[in-house]
Amino acid sequence: MTSPPATKEHASMSTPALWRHSPAIWAAPVAEGDPEPDWAFLRCEVHIDRPVAEATLHLAASSPEPGRQFVARASMNGAELGQGPVRAIADEHRYSSWDATPLLVEGANAIGVVAWTPEDRRVQVALRIRYRDGSEEVAAPSAPWTGLAGDRAYRPSGSIGTHYFVAPQEHLVGRDYPWGFDQPGFDDSAWSAATTKEPFTTLAPDPTAAVRTCEAAPVDIAAVGPGTLRFDFGGTYVGGLSLPGLGRPAQLTLRFGELLDEHGRVRAHMATGNHYEDRWDLDGHEPQIRTWGLRVFRYLEIDGLPPEAAESVRALGHVHPLGERTRFRTNDARLRKVLDLCEHTMVQTNGPLLVDSWSREREPYEADAYLQAKANAALSAEQELAGYSLDYLLQRRTWPTEWPFYLVLLAAEHAERGGDLGALAARRDQLAALLPTDWIDPATGLIRKLHGSDGSASVADHDIVDWPPSERDGYLFGPVNTAVNAVAHGAFSAMARIDEQLGHPDAPVHAEHARRLRETMNALLWDEEAGTFIDGLDADGAPLPHAAAHAGAFASALGVADAARTARIAEHLAPLGMPVSVYAAPFLLRALLLGGRADVAFDLLVGAGDRSWLGMIEAGAGATMEAWNEQVKPNVSCAHPWGASPLFLVVEDLLGLRPLAPGYTEFAVAPQVPEQIGHLGASVPTIAGLIEIDVSGEAAGRAVRVSVPEGTRCRLRWDGEEHLLGPGPHAFDRNR
């Protein structure tokens, strides 16, 4: 079961005209003097008197901030349209839009809204219709909106949130729920007129495709106690439970969780601080029942469910539509498992913003968004999600010193993949303002800070290097920090590319900052004997006596080292295993690949043990984790989409696919597939079309096959030579 797709606002109707006759409303309190309810049911009916060509339902609602999620679910004639809106960037309010054309009928039509928020409670709905006769209107309700306070259907309960946000546990009382309120002819005579609120002054459409719901059957059902069933859905979902009506009274307790405890029970009191426990009191007259809000879970326990209903239990997920997805091909079963985990993670845990996770924080972070956007781009050609998250973070920066630098990298790569130079130009000045020019030491050109170089947490402009602190490989902090300088070098280089694409005169300025950084880092931070970069310089400018894996990995991955030193860094890193976190892992693996140690990188990518992606699967995680294991981070969450970096490591590094011109009109393919893999390939959707790459090892030697879309060209680097390829299929062999 899926929700209808979102739709773009009709071009002939401006935003003010769309909302002019649509009041902002909420449900009135049950009695005069009572507080305004957090839960609200709202409904109206609309009469249609002629054939409809196109109809769109728009919904604005406030405030999404307390729950860091949607405020309302909208439905029409008994069918859910979707939930919204997305969180706003600044002072504007966002509205969601759905195609209502298939649901409208001539005659009476009902619109229903279920909403929850404890702050600035407002909902505003507009139904825009274009008729087959060519006329167009924002349809007026047949009668004023009515509302019902929802605090009897959803009894007061606790929060499933953490200290970052609040969201309701759902104590659902079936006899008090207004089943069918979104159907025409529903008797709302006991409801009150909806309370009119202040209208929204600044409204803007959600720029991304609407999140859709999906359902998944369990892969395993087990009795774990008297009257208690446990359901394993095989992977993580963000949502809750969908259950057909039972036809008999029942009292159900629902416990959701990401992991099981040592007794095989669901850990509803999660390590993240969330407590996912709900109660449903059913009288047997309920139709299909669904949870309203968002839980992050792989496992579910239900107390009190009749055994015959077990097979009808479904996980209710919320999916940001990615469109056509990359099809990976490999004969390596370990890599297949890792890629399946990562793909499921991206499909099921993206949401309408590139957030750190939907369990603990529900908040975007710059570095996380950068990695998640790269994983999404390796899987689909969808661009809007990364674009909106980029704009969001340009207004809402987080604390680490180097995190804002990643937005410059994200913006450059996003434009190179999508080709939207207009959007890039609109962001250009904000991106340039993120560069650490105020921290440049005029004597050396290095980034040198007089404060914040101590590794402390959650303090603005303090260096992070890696997280949690135990994953820093003994990194020594100083006023000059090699990891910070490496990310800054990447940002200055990316800003130079941005300005070059836009024809901005500052391109040489940023390129010079990058050149000087690179030159001085190699002069002052390189340890010739160790064959890698040291952690930094102390307050007197003396070298710090330590070289953590991060120093070499970030410097190599972000272009500081030349080819010879990149190779030496790879040899330095090769025997270390995985001494860095899930966040830093792609930089370490890329450093190995750039330095010619694809064999070691691949072994780490598909390795087992408790510091690996296969280890996450072994631990029972249904999506990529934020840390390798609970010993590393006791409050670990098992649903962090930025941890799905194997997707882009396979596409960008092992297969070597990179855009050379905006929108992939020209692209590079430079495979680095180690001989441990007999076959590796992918069909990658891009904005320019489907790019297909296959590398295989056969008895006669190694072969590469590339299919180039129409209107593009490919620069293939293979067997030490470069080949310029036009549209169509191409194949090259080489002897072992």
Side-chain angles (χ1 to χ4, degrees):
M1 183 181 297
T2 60
S3 304
T7 183
K8 300 295 184 183
E9 183 179 334
H10 197 258
S12 66
M13 185 169 290
S14 67
T15 297
L18 177 65
W19 300 99
R20 186 173 297 132
H21 303 298
S22 301
I25 55 175
W26 197 259
V30 174
E32 187 175 350
D34 284 354
E36 191 171 53
D38 292 344
W39 285 100
F41 295 94
L42 301 163
R43 74 177 305 274
C44 77
E45 294 195 13
V46 176
H47 187 81
I48 304 299
D49 61 2
R50 55 194 186 277
V52 171
E54 179 187 14
T56 305
L57 188 79
H58 306 277
L59 179 142
S62 186
S63 167
E65 289 304 310
R68 298 184 175 184
Q69 64 170 30
F70 62 86
V71 173
R73 290 186 181 275
S75 54
M76 177 177 285
N77 294 341
E80 182 173 292
L81 286 163
Q83 61 280 332
V86 70
R87 292 172 69 189
I89 290 174
D91 296 331
E92 86 284 9
H93 291 88
R94 294 283 164 173
Y95 65 89
S96 301
S97 304
W98 303 280
D99 181 10
T101 312
L103 301 180
L104 276 182
V105 297
E106 289 192 47
N109 295 267
I111 300 170
V113 175
V114 186
W116 173 89
T117 184
E119 182 180 297
D120 188 20
R121 304 172 187 89
R122 286 185 285 172
V123 168
Q124 199 165 348
V125 177
L127 176 62
R128 182 195 57 78
I129 302 176
R130 182 168 57 82
Y131 296 100
R132 291 182 188 173
D133 62 12
S135 61
E136 184 176 336
E137 68 170 343
V138 176
S142 306
W145 281 83
T146 56
L148 176 70
D151 53 4
R152 289 190 59 80
Y154 289 106
R155 298 296 170 89
S157 193
S159 171
I160 63 169
T162 64
H163 66 276
Y164 292 98
F165 70 95
V166 294
Q169 289 182 328
E170 296 177 25
H171 181 178
L172 173 67
V173 180
R175 67 177 180 273
D176 292 322
Y177 194 98
W179 306 107
F181 80 101
D182 55 358
Q183 296 273 18
F186 175 83
D187 181 7
D188 62 357
S189 58
W191 291 32
S192 301
T195 300
T196 301
K197 312 279 286 189
E198 283 292 320
F200 295 107
T201 55
T202 305
L203 283 166
D206 290 353
T208 63
V211 171
R212 303 177 186 176
T213 57
C214 68
E215 294 189 359
V219 298
D220 181 67
I221 304 172
V224 292
T228 301
L229 295 174
R230 186 194 68 208
F231 300 84
D232 176 3
F233 295 99
T236 294
Y237 293 85
V238 179
L241 170 62
S242 178
L243 182 69
L246 300 178
R248 63 190 242 191
Q251 289 194 336
L252 308 183
T253 300
L254 319 176
R255 289 182 292 275
F256 301 85
E258 294 179 322
L259 295 171
L260 303 177
D261 67 17
E262 64 273 20
H263 305 295
R265 302 298 297 267
V266 174
R267 290 164 54 176
H269 285 274
M270 300 207 328
T272 55
N274 306 88
H275 179 200
Y276 292 152
E277 185 168 327
D278 301 302
R279 180 178 170 185
W280 288 0
D281 296 338
L282 309 178
D283 66 0
H285 295 95
E286 297 84 5
Q288 188 80 18
I289 318 163
R290 287 177 153 193
T291 45
W292 180 88
L294 303 179
R295 291 128 185 83
V296 182
F297 67 100
R298 171 179 173 172
Y299 304 97
L300 165 65
E301 276 183 9
I302 305 180
D303 297 343
L305 183 71
E308 66 272 15
E311 294 293 338
S312 63
V313 166
R314 295 291 182 268
L316 178 66
H318 292 72
V319 176
H320 177 85
L322 293 173
E324 182 183 9
R325 300 203 299 269
T326 296
R327 299 188 301 277
F328 292 100
R329 297 176 287 276
T330 181
N331 67 335
D332 191 289
R334 300 166 301 168
L335 181 58
R336 182 73 265 172
K337 285 183 179 179
V338 171
L339 291 173
D340 286 347
L341 172 72
C342 294
E343 181 173 357
H344 179 87
T345 299
M346 302 315 297
V347 170
Q348 292 295 337
T349 67
N350 257 321
L353 272 176
L354 298 179
V355 302
D356 175 53
S357 172
W358 288 101
S359 55
R360 183 192 303 111
E361 296 188 46
R362 298 185 175 183
E363 189 66 36
Y365 285 82
E366 295 92 339
D368 304 347
Y370 172 65
L371 296 176
Q372 187 176 347
K374 287 173 75 68
N376 269 334
L379 198 58
S380 85
E382 193 274 345
Q383 291 286 304
E384 289 81 8
L385 181 57
Y388 186 67
S389 299
L390 172 58
D391 290 334
Y392 181 98
L393 282 163
L394 283 170
Q395 297 292 330
R396 300 194 187 199
R397 73 151 289 185
T398 62
W399 63 269
T401 297
E402 60 267 46
W403 259 214
F405 308 166
Y406 281 105
L407 293 187
V408 186
L409 291 163
L410 171 54
E413 294 181 20
H414 185 254
E416 288 159 358
R417 289 189 292 260
D420 189 349
L421 298 186
L424 184 64
R427 299 172 179 130
R428 188 267 163 203
D429 290 349
Q430 289 177 285
L431 294 167
L434 299 176
L435 297 171
T437 51
D438 289 345
W439 290 326
I440 294 176
D441 181 354
T444 64
L446 294 172
I447 306 304
R448 185 176 187 275
K449 297 175 62 201
L450 300 179
H451 70 281
S453 298
D454 55 7
S456 57
S458 300
V459 181
D461 293 331
H462 280 233
D463 306 349
I464 190 170
V465 176
D466 205 349
W467 194 260
S470 62
E471 294 286 68
R472 290 172 176 160
D473 192 32
Y475 200 99
L476 296 181
F477 286 79
V480 174
N481 181 319
T482 298
V484 169
N485 274 267
V487 183
H489 174 269
F492 278 118
S493 299
M495 197 69 221
R497 299 201 312 272
I498 288 171
D499 278 354
E500 186 174 350
Q501 287 179 332
L502 298 177
H504 194 282
D506 282 353
V509 176
H510 302 311
E512 175 59 20
H513 281 312
R515 184 205 63 77
R516 194 175 181 206
L517 258 179
R518 186 167 59 249
E519 181 180 276
T520 311
M521 288 181 72
N522 278 281
L524 300 182
L525 301 176
W526 175 257
D527 185 330
E528 179 62 26
E529 182 177 353
T532 189
F533 285 87
I534 59 172
D535 295 348
L537 305 177
D538 67 16
D540 297 323
L544 293 170
H546 190 261
H550 304 73
F554 280 98
S556 179
L558 290 159
V560 174
D562 62 17
R565 288 186 172 180
T566 296
R568 292 196 65 192
I569 291 169
E571 293 301 328
H572 172 81
L573 294 173
L576 301 182
M578 186 63 78
V580 302
S581 75
V582 179
Y583 149 69
F587 298 95
L588 183 140
L589 294 175
R590 178 158 286 172
L592 288 166
L593 287 157
L594 289 171
R597 294 308 306 268
D599 57 332
V600 177
F602 181 73
D603 285 344
L604 290 172
L605 192 65
V606 300
D610 62 1
R611 297 185 67 82
S612 67
W613 283 276
L614 287 180
M616 296 180 188
I617 297 172
E618 186 65 25
T624 52
M625 299 167 64
E626 65 173 325
W628 296 118
N629 53 68
E630 287 188 278
Q631 288 68 46
V632 169
K633 196 171 191 292
N635 67 339
V636 69
S637 162
C638 302
H640 278 60
W642 52 261
S645 56
L647 293 172
F648 67 79
L649 289 167
V650 166
V651 171
E652 295 182 9
D653 294 276
L654 290 178
L655 293 175
L657 174 62
R658 303 284 182 92
L660 296 176
Y664 281 95
T665 53
E666 183 175 349
F667 59 91
V669 173
Q672 299 183 78
V673 179
E675 294 195 0
Q676 296 108 301
I677 314 177
H679 175 223
L680 179 63
S683 299
V684 184
T686 72
I687 197 168
L690 193 68
I691 298 172
E692 299 189 83
I693 309 167
D694 282 276
V695 178
S696 58
E698 301 164 351
R702 207 75 160 148
V704 63
R705 290 172 175 78
V706 180
S707 181
V708 180
E710 288 295 327
T712 71
R713 63 180 185 175
C714 168
R715 293 189 180 274
L716 171 67
R717 187 74 179 173
W718 180 251
D719 203 15
E721 298 180 356
E722 185 174 285
H723 307 269
L724 183 60
L725 310 179
H730 305 269
F732 296 86
D733 297 322
R734 81 169 175 221
N735 293 326
R736 292 187 186 276

